[in-house]
């Protein structure tokens, strides 16, 4: 694998798999990423699905069908280690690309597949006070300590039981205190 792909920006890649193994590969990869503490390099693993309505014997039935059987989409930062982990996951045959170099999807391809590439704008910064508006910490107020735009997460220091506790939340779960 060439050093050209040792970039730090996450991109979407397509992995070719044995057909029928897509969900297992997603699960296995998620476990490996967690075990090896590589969450900073992997952002999303997607098996694109679409609803398909079938009418059988007068009954309407909705099924989820794989949009691209035999493929899994991964938003990741490619390094020697991350490439190796994905490439050696049971059921993965290869990255889509030329030779050993995975080729990231273009913004156009990402848009056509309906994957989110838009950057979310938040109206708060580190050290701002925010109110938690959803989830188990709803109605708590805290201070933003970290904003992760890639993962759409925010870390907030909340005062609970007389001590400051860091809580990781989705962007949509907090709003700036005005």
């Amino acid at each position: 694998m060439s050093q050209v792909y040792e970039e730090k920006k996450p991109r979407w890649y397509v992995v070719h798999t044995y057909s029928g193994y897509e969900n297992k590969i997603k699960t296995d990869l998620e476990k490996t990423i967690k075990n090896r503490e590589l969450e900073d390099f992997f952002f999303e693993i997607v098996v694109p699905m679409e609803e398909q309505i079938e009418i059988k014997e007068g009954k309407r039935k909705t099924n989820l069908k794989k949009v691209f059987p035999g493929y899994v989409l991964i938003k990741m930062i490619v390094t020697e280690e991350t490439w190796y982990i994905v490439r050696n996951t049971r059921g993965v045959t290869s990255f889509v690309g030329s030779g050993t170099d995975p080729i990231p999807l273009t913004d156009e391809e990402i848009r056509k597949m309906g994957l989110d590439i838009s950057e979310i704008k938040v109206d708060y910064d580190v050290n701002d006070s925010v109110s938690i508006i959803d989830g188990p910490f709803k109605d708590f107020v805290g201070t933003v300590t970290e904003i992760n735009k890639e993962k759409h997460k925010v870390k907030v220091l909340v005062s609970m039981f007389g001590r400051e506790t860091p809580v990781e939340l989705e962007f949509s779960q907090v709003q700036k205190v005005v």
Side-chain angles (χ1 to χ4, degrees), residues 68-123:
F68 306 112
Y71 294 94
V72 175
L73 306 174
I74 304 174
K75 186 176 187 181
M76 64 186 278
I77 295 171
V78 173
T79 65
E80 291 286 341
E81 186 180 12
T82 60
W83 177 87
Y84 181 84
I85 285 168
V86 173
R87 186 68 195 81
N88 289 288
T89 298
R90 191 183 178 102
V92 169
T93 56
S94 63
F95 271 94
V96 172
S98 60
T100 57
D101 290 333
I103 296 176
L105 293 172
T106 64
D107 288 351
E108 176 80 6
E109 290 167 325
I110 293 165
R111 256 191 293 285
K112 283 181 180 172
M113 289 183 186
L115 297 169
D116 182 28
I117 60 163
S118 59
E119 190 169 305
I120 294 179
K121 303 256 188 281
V122 291
D123 66 346

Side-chain angles (χ1 to χ4, degrees), residues 1-120:
M1 183 168 160
S2 73
Q3 293 298 315
V4 177
Y5 288 96
E6 291 278 340
E7 55 181 275
K8 299 296 169 235
K9 185 176 173 234
R11 306 282 303 267
W12 281 101
Y13 295 90
V14 180
V15 177
H16 190 259
T17 68
Y18 292 131
S19 196
Y21 280 73
E22 302 88 353
N23 292 324
K24 178 155 181 34
I25 287 166
K26 178 181 178 355
T27 306
D28 290 353
L29 257 175
E30 286 168 346
K31 277 185 199 156
T32 304
I33 292 162
K34 192 169 176 48
N35 289 343
R36 296 199 184 194
E37 297 179 357
L38 291 169
E39 292 92 345
D40 291 342
F41 294 91
F42 290 89
F43 298 84
E44 249 180 289
I45 301 171
V46 178
V47 179
M49 306 288 263
E50 68 182 357
E51 275 190 5
Q52 191 174 43
I53 297 167
E54 194 179 324
I55 297 174
K56 224 180 204 173
E57 297 169 18
K59 292 195 169 89
R60 183 185 169 111
K61 189 177 174 187
T62 305
N63 292 323
L64 279 178
K65 183 178 177 246
K66 290 181 186 90
V67 179
F68 306 112
Y71 294 94
V72 175
L73 306 174
I74 304 174
K75 186 176 187 181
M76 64 186 278
I77 295 171
V78 173
T79 65
E80 291 286 341
E81 186 180 12
T82 60
W83 177 87
Y84 181 84
I85 285 168
V86 173
R87 186 68 195 81
N88 289 288
T89 298
R90 191 183 178 102
V92 169
T93 56
S94 63
F95 271 94
V96 172
S98 60
T100 57
D101 290 333
I103 296 176
L105 293 172
T106 64
D107 288 351
E108 176 80 6
E109 290 167 325
I110 293 165
R111 256 191 293 285
K112 283 181 180 172
M113 289 183 186
L115 297 169
D116 182 28
I117 60 163
S118 59
E119 190 169 305
I120 294 179

Side-chain angles (χ1 to χ4, degrees), residues 117-154:
I117 60 163
S118 59
E119 190 169 305
I120 294 179
K121 303 256 188 281
V122 291
D123 66 346
Y124 44 81
D125 290 308
V126 172
N127 296 325
D128 280 353
S129 285
V130 291
S131 175
I132 301 172
I133 55 172
D134 186 35
F137 300 99
K138 185 177 177 176
D139 298 329
F140 276 85
V141 173
T143 306
V144 176
T145 58
E146 187 182 318
I147 297 172
N148 186 332
K149 289 192 176 181
E150 291 298 335
K151 291 195 173 187
H152 302 218
K153 302 259 187 198
V154 60

